[in-house]
Structure formats: C-alpha cells, structure tokens
Amino acid sequence: MMGSYREAPAVPTASYGSTQVSGVHQSPTQPAPYLEDELSSQVGSVPLEALSAHFVPVVQLRTGKTFGFEAIPYCSQEELSNIEELFARAAFEKKVGELGRVVRSSAFSECPSIPVFISVHPHELKESWLIRPDDPLCSHDAEVFLQVNQSTYSPMCAHVLSEVSSRSGIALVLDDFGSSTSSLRQAVELCPAFVKLTVELVQGIDQSPRKRVVVSAVVQMCLDLGAQVIAKGIETEREARVLIDCGVAYGEGPIMGRASALPKVSRWPGPR
C-alpha cells in the first residue's frame, strides 16, 4: 500500500541562496544539541502522553490518490482539544518549541516513507527548537513540507524558514492564501513549493463564477512562481470538479477524509 503514496508526481522544492536580512549576511546559528531528558514527562503543564498528531489526507484531485498527510497537533485533554488554546497555553508557559518537537516526533513516527505537511508556530522559530540539527523533520525518509500560516507570517519567520529550508532541503508551504491583502507579498518572499487556498475561496466555488475567476488567476500565478496549489476544505464533488477546471492539482477536506489518529488513505475515488 505504501507505494500508492509515492506515485504522485514530483512537486517543486524551494531553493535558497545565502540568507540576507536588511542586506547583512547572517551566519548559520548553532543550536545546542537536543537532550532526551529535556522532555522527560511533560510540556509545561501538559503530560507528554496527552500530546500527539492527527492526520488529514492530501489528495491528487484528478486521480483521487493520496499524496501525503497533513499532521495536526492533538491534545487528549478536553480543555486543550482546541489547537489555538493548546498553543496559547504553551506560549504562556514558553513551551511552544517543546510542543512542536513532540508533535513532529509523533507525526513522523506514524508516517514512515510518507510525505508529511506540518505547520510551524512563530514562537517555535524564536525559541530555536526548529533549527536544531537533530530535529525529527531532518531525518524523515520522505518529503517534508513545512507550513506557515499567512496570518502569523513575519519577515523574521521568513528568514528562519529560509535558513531551515536551505540547510535541510525541506520545502515550504504558505497556508491560508487569500485570507489577507498581504498574500501576494508573502508568496514572493517565501518561495513556497505549495500554496494552500483559504477555505473561503474553496467552499461554494461551484456556485460562484467570481470565485472561479479568482482561483484560476491565483493558480496561474502560483505555477508561474513555481508553486503547486492545494485547496482546503473541499466538501462536495461539484467543488472538486470546478477546482480541477481552475487548475488546482491537490486538495483536502471532508469529502476526502477527516482528521484521524492514524494516517488513512483517502477512499475518495476522484471526480466522477
């Protein structure tokens, strides 16, 4: 079954030269090595056994084949089951870096030899956990796509992610494209391999000629910039067919598979 993940066509990878900030070359940082006892039993006030990742399939729209999985942070404690609340607690306790590391470790252990999309929180970049050379994302044996949400994007975020990408060959993903007026600038600065369309552009596109015009234009722009497009939140066959007509190559959403504790190949057969 694993072979089905590898049949997807090759996707572009982001490439970077020397990293520059305000015209000054930045020397690579040398973070301290990771020690297992740094995460002995919990992350802040959250026990390690409560933390893991859940998985959403990312699917080739024309064929219905599963290309990889988006790994989503998950906490079994009811009061922290909302991702935003989980990271807000971690940020308050200054433990976002540790939380991200635990989620990545869980995600990659469940997805051997499978491409993984995984988000990064801006605080992880400030706390230097992500750029440790022994981070789990550096040893995964398939493609890794590091996502940054465009609502939390910053020049500092772009600088650190560029450094991580150039060191490790990990490709970058700009998430929620279209949710703010700064999307175009971010697509240029970040050089992503993938751009994920915001749900607001995707849902109901089969009933909105104006959305089709916008999405078609965004797809062409992204292709010209070397990025493939993923549509988020696809709910119906009609939406999927229209997105294909607009040139969107990949998708995720309820019709293809909801988040689950283990990576499950999408049962969606593709457009009929």
Side-chain angles (χ1 to χ4, degrees), residues 31-44 46 48 94-95 97-99 101-102 127-129 132 134:
Y34 170 72
L35 301 176
E36 290 299 331
D37 59 3
E38 291 182 70
L39 294 175
S40 57
S41 62
Q42 59 187 47
V43 175
V46 183
L48 281 183
K94 294 182 171 55
K95 296 293 183 179
E98 289 94 326
L99 173 59
R101 172 113 189 188
V102 170
E127 295 176 17
S128 300
W129 280 76
R132 295 177 184 233
D134 60 345

Side-chain angles (χ1 to χ4, degrees), residues 93-115:
E93 298 175 342
K94 294 182 171 55
K95 296 293 183 179
V96 175
E98 289 94 326
L99 173 59
R101 172 113 189 188
V102 170
V103 172
R104 289 191 295 278
S105 180
S106 173
F108 297 134
S109 67
E110 295 290 352
C111 289
S113 304
I114 302 171

Side-chain angles (χ1 to χ4, degrees), residues 106-172:
S106 173
F108 297 134
S109 67
E110 295 290 352
C111 289
S113 304
I114 302 171
V116 173
F117 294 75
I118 193 160
S119 294
V120 58
H121 190 281
H123 284 292
E124 292 185 67
L125 307 179
K126 296 177 182 178
E127 295 176 17
S128 300
W129 280 76
L130 188 69
I131 58 176
R132 295 177 184 233
D134 60 345
D135 191 280
L137 63 81
C138 296
S139 57
H140 187 54
D141 58 354
E143 295 97 336
V144 176
F145 302 99
L146 204 57
Q147 297 183 167
V148 57
N149 190 293
Q150 73 119 74
S151 65
T152 57
Y153 177 94
S154 69
M156 183 278 295
C157 175
H159 161 57
V160 178
L161 288 174
S162 296
E163 183 176 337
V164 172
S165 177
S166 62
R167 282 186 184 184
S168 61
I170 292 171
L172 304 179

Side-chain angles (χ1 to χ4, degrees), residues 30-88:
Q30 297 296 330
Y34 170 72
L35 301 176
E36 290 299 331
D37 59 3
E38 291 182 70
L39 294 175
S40 57
S41 62
Q42 59 187 47
V43 175
S45 59
V46 183
L48 281 183
E49 61 267 22
L51 299 171
S52 61
H54 279 191
F55 302 91
V56 175
V58 178
V59 175
Q60 289 180 289
L61 290 183
R62 288 192 178 275
T63 65
K65 291 182 178 180
T66 299
F67 170 67
F69 290 92
E70 179 177 358
I72 300 173
Y74 175 78
C75 181
S76 61
Q77 291 188 343
E78 185 175 354
E79 68 273 18
L80 295 175
S81 59
N82 180 283
I83 295 175
E84 292 183 1
E85 292 176 359
L86 174 63
F87 274 90

Side-chain angles (χ1 to χ4, degrees), residues 4 46 122 171 175 197 205 225 239 259 267 270:
S4 63
V46 183
D175 197 8
L197 299 179
I205 192 172
L225 291 174
E239 288 174 352
R267 296 182 180 276

